[in-house]
Short mmCIF file of all heavy atoms in Angstrom, two decimals:
data_model
loop_
_atom_site.label_atom_id
_atom_site.label_comp_id
_atom_site.label_asym_id
_atom_site.label_seq_id
_atom_site.Cartn_x
_atom_site.Cartn_y
_atom_site.Cartn_z
N VAL Q 153 0.88 -1.16 -0.01
CA VAL Q 153 -0.01 -0.02 0.02
C VAL Q 153 0.87 1.24 -0.03
O VAL Q 153 1.94 1.23 0.67
CB VAL Q 153 -0.93 0.01 1.25
CG1 VAL Q 153 -1.83 1.30 1.12
CG2 VAL Q 153 -1.74 -1.24 1.35
N TYR Q 154 0.49 2.22 -0.75
CA TYR Q 154 1.34 3.39 -0.98
C TYR Q 154 0.55 4.65 -0.61
O TYR Q 154 -0.65 4.70 -0.70
CB TYR Q 154 1.85 3.52 -2.42
CG TYR Q 154 2.53 2.28 -2.88
CD1 TYR Q 154 1.87 1.35 -3.63
CD2 TYR Q 154 3.92 2.11 -2.60
CE1 TYR Q 154 2.52 0.26 -4.13
CE2 TYR Q 154 4.55 0.95 -3.04
CZ TYR Q 154 3.87 0.07 -3.85
OH TYR Q 154 4.50 -1.06 -4.26
N LEU Q 155 1.26 5.62 -0.13
CA LEU Q 155 0.67 6.96 0.07
C LEU Q 155 1.56 8.00 -0.49
O LEU Q 155 2.70 8.25 0.07
CB LEU Q 155 0.56 7.29 1.60
CG LEU Q 155 -0.20 8.57 1.92
CD1 LEU Q 155 -1.65 8.51 1.50
CD2 LEU Q 155 -0.13 8.93 3.41
N GLN Q 156 1.20 8.50 -1.68
CA GLN Q 156 1.96 9.61 -2.35
C GLN Q 156 1.49 10.89 -1.75
O GLN Q 156 0.29 11.20 -1.75
CB GLN Q 156 1.64 9.54 -3.89
CG GLN Q 156 2.33 10.66 -4.66
CD GLN Q 156 3.86 10.42 -4.60
OE1 GLN Q 156 4.37 9.35 -4.73
NE2 GLN Q 156 4.59 11.59 -4.39
N MET Q 157 2.47 11.58 -1.18
CA MET Q 157 2.16 12.87 -0.59
C MET Q 157 2.92 14.02 -1.28
O MET Q 157 4.17 14.01 -1.33
CB MET Q 157 2.63 12.78 0.92
CG MET Q 157 2.13 11.64 1.67
SD MET Q 157 2.52 11.69 3.42
CE MET Q 157 4.28 11.53 3.32
N ASN Q 158 2.10 14.91 -1.83
CA ASN Q 158 2.61 16.02 -2.55
C ASN Q 158 2.20 17.36 -1.85
O ASN Q 158 1.27 17.33 -1.06
CB ASN Q 158 2.09 16.07 -3.99
CG ASN Q 158 2.48 14.85 -4.81
OD1 ASN Q 158 3.57 14.28 -4.63
ND2 ASN Q 158 1.62 14.45 -5.67
N GLY Q 159 2.90 18.45 -2.19
CA GLY Q 159 2.52 19.65 -1.51
C GLY Q 159 2.55 19.62 0.02
O GLY Q 159 1.69 20.16 0.63
N LEU Q 160 3.55 18.92 0.49
CA LEU Q 160 3.62 18.78 1.97
C LEU Q 160 3.70 20.10 2.65
O LEU Q 160 4.37 21.08 2.23
CB LEU Q 160 4.85 17.88 2.33
CG LEU Q 160 4.55 16.37 2.08
CD1 LEU Q 160 5.78 15.59 2.03
CD2 LEU Q 160 3.56 15.85 3.11
N LYS Q 161 3.02 20.16 3.88
CA LYS Q 161 2.98 21.32 4.71
C LYS Q 161 3.54 20.95 6.08
O LYS Q 161 3.50 19.84 6.45
CB LYS Q 161 1.52 21.76 4.88
CG LYS Q 161 0.83 22.07 3.56
CD LYS Q 161 -0.64 22.43 3.83
CE LYS Q 161 -1.33 22.71 2.52
NZ LYS Q 161 -2.80 23.03 2.77
N PRO Q 162 4.01 21.96 6.79
CA PRO Q 162 4.54 21.60 8.12
C PRO Q 162 3.47 20.91 9.03
O PRO Q 162 3.92 20.12 9.88
CB PRO Q 162 4.87 23.03 8.71
CG PRO Q 162 5.19 23.84 7.53
CD PRO Q 162 4.30 23.36 6.40
N GLU Q 163 2.22 21.18 8.87
CA GLU Q 163 1.21 20.50 9.66
C GLU Q 163 1.03 19.07 9.28
O GLU Q 163 0.26 18.35 9.94
CB GLU Q 163 -0.15 21.32 9.58
CG GLU Q 163 -0.58 21.60 8.13
CD GLU Q 163 -0.27 22.99 7.71
OE1 GLU Q 163 0.87 23.45 7.97
OE2 GLU Q 163 -1.12 23.63 7.06
N ASP Q 164 1.66 18.59 8.27
CA ASP Q 164 1.67 17.19 7.93
C ASP Q 164 2.66 16.42 8.72
O ASP Q 164 2.73 15.16 8.63
CB ASP Q 164 1.93 16.96 6.41
CG ASP Q 164 0.79 17.49 5.55
OD1 ASP Q 164 -0.31 17.37 5.90
OD2 ASP Q 164 1.21 18.11 4.50
N THR Q 165 3.48 17.08 9.42
CA THR Q 165 4.53 16.47 10.26
C THR Q 165 3.83 15.51 11.31
O THR Q 165 2.97 15.86 12.04
CB THR Q 165 5.37 17.49 11.00
OG1 THR Q 165 6.08 18.23 10.06
CG2 THR Q 165 6.28 16.76 12.01
N ALA Q 166 4.21 14.20 11.23
CA ALA Q 166 3.62 13.20 12.11
C ALA Q 166 4.32 11.85 11.96
O ALA Q 166 5.08 11.69 10.96
CB ALA Q 166 2.10 13.12 11.81
N VAL Q 167 4.01 10.94 12.80
CA VAL Q 167 4.30 9.61 12.54
C VAL Q 167 3.09 9.00 11.73
O VAL Q 167 1.99 9.12 12.17
CB VAL Q 167 4.47 8.80 13.86
CG1 VAL Q 167 4.80 7.32 13.56
CG2 VAL Q 167 5.69 9.32 14.63
N TYR Q 168 3.41 8.40 10.63
CA TYR Q 168 2.45 7.77 9.79
C TYR Q 168 2.34 6.27 9.94
O TYR Q 168 3.45 5.53 9.86
CB TYR Q 168 2.68 8.20 8.32
CG TYR Q 168 2.30 9.55 8.02
CD1 TYR Q 168 3.06 10.62 8.52
CD2 TYR Q 168 1.19 9.85 7.21
CE1 TYR Q 168 2.75 11.92 8.20
CE2 TYR Q 168 0.91 11.14 6.94
CZ TYR Q 168 1.64 12.18 7.44
OH TYR Q 168 1.25 13.50 7.18
N TYR Q 169 1.14 5.78 10.12
CA TYR Q 169 0.96 4.36 10.41
C TYR Q 169 0.12 3.71 9.33
O TYR Q 169 -0.90 4.28 8.91
CB TYR Q 169 0.23 4.10 11.74
CG TYR Q 169 0.97 4.61 12.95
CD1 TYR Q 169 0.78 5.89 13.44
CD2 TYR Q 169 1.89 3.78 13.70
CE1 TYR Q 169 1.51 6.41 14.52
CE2 TYR Q 169 2.57 4.24 14.72
CZ TYR Q 169 2.36 5.59 15.23
OH TYR Q 169 3.00 6.01 16.31
N CYS Q 170 0.54 2.53 8.97
CA CYS Q 170 -0.32 1.65 8.05
C CYS Q 170 -1.19 0.81 8.94
O CYS Q 170 -0.78 0.34 9.95
CB CYS Q 170 0.71 0.79 7.21
SG CYS Q 170 -0.14 -0.30 6.06
N ALA Q 171 -2.45 0.57 8.42
CA ALA Q 171 -3.44 -0.18 9.16
C ALA Q 171 -4.23 -1.12 8.21
O ALA Q 171 -4.41 -0.75 7.04
CB ALA Q 171 -4.36 0.71 9.96
N ALA Q 172 -4.63 -2.26 8.73
CA ALA Q 172 -5.49 -3.21 7.96
C ALA Q 172 -6.63 -3.61 8.76
O ALA Q 172 -6.50 -4.02 9.92
CB ALA Q 172 -4.58 -4.39 7.54
N ALA Q 173 -7.83 -3.68 8.12
CA ALA Q 173 -9.00 -4.24 8.71
C ALA Q 173 -9.45 -5.41 7.91
O ALA Q 173 -9.67 -5.36 6.67
CB ALA Q 173 -10.07 -3.16 8.74
N THR Q 174 -9.63 -6.58 8.55
CA THR Q 174 -10.06 -7.81 7.94
C THR Q 174 -11.50 -7.79 7.53
O THR Q 174 -12.38 -7.18 8.26
CB THR Q 174 -9.85 -9.00 8.94
OG1 THR Q 174 -8.50 -8.88 9.39
CG2 THR Q 174 -10.14 -10.33 8.24
N GLY Q 175 -11.77 -8.35 6.33
CA GLY Q 175 -13.14 -8.47 6.02
C GLY Q 175 -13.62 -7.44 4.97
O GLY Q 175 -13.10 -6.38 4.88
N TYR Q 176 -14.65 -7.92 4.24
CA TYR Q 176 -15.06 -7.04 3.05
C TYR Q 176 -15.83 -5.90 3.51
O TYR Q 176 -15.98 -4.85 2.76
CB TYR Q 176 -15.94 -7.93 2.09
CG TYR Q 176 -15.20 -9.11 1.51
CD1 TYR Q 176 -15.34 -10.37 2.03
CD2 TYR Q 176 -14.45 -8.91 0.47
CE1 TYR Q 176 -14.70 -11.42 1.45
CE2 TYR Q 176 -13.65 -9.96 -0.15
CZ TYR Q 176 -13.88 -11.24 0.42
OH TYR Q 176 -13.20 -12.35 -0.19
N ASN Q 177 -16.37 -5.82 4.71
CA ASN Q 177 -17.36 -4.78 5.11
C ASN Q 177 -16.75 -3.82 6.10
O ASN Q 177 -17.51 -3.02 6.74
CB ASN Q 177 -18.59 -5.47 5.77
CG ASN Q 177 -19.23 -6.40 4.69
OD1 ASN Q 177 -19.35 -6.04 3.54
ND2 ASN Q 177 -19.71 -7.56 5.19
N ASN Q 178 -15.49 -3.72 6.23
CA ASN Q 178 -14.90 -2.86 7.33
C ASN Q 178 -14.27 -1.62 6.73
O ASN Q 178 -13.46 -1.04 7.46
CB ASN Q 178 -13.93 -3.70 8.13
CG ASN Q 178 -14.54 -4.59 9.09
OD1 ASN Q 178 -15.62 -4.23 9.68
ND2 ASN Q 178 -14.04 -5.69 9.42
#
């Protein structure tokens, strides 16, 4: 999974986490 981030701003500063939810309906 990718996250392309353009036009970054100082307020985008953070720790970024990947997450997964099991199942088709989540």
Side-chain angles (χ1 to χ4, degrees):
V153 182
Y154 305 99
L155 186 68
Q156 178 66 44
M157 306 186 296
N158 300 325
L160 282 161
K161 304 175 180 180
E163 52 263 42
D164 295 317
T165 295
V167 177
Y168 284 71
Y169 298 91
C170 180
T174 306
Y176 299 101
N177 300 319
N178 282 326

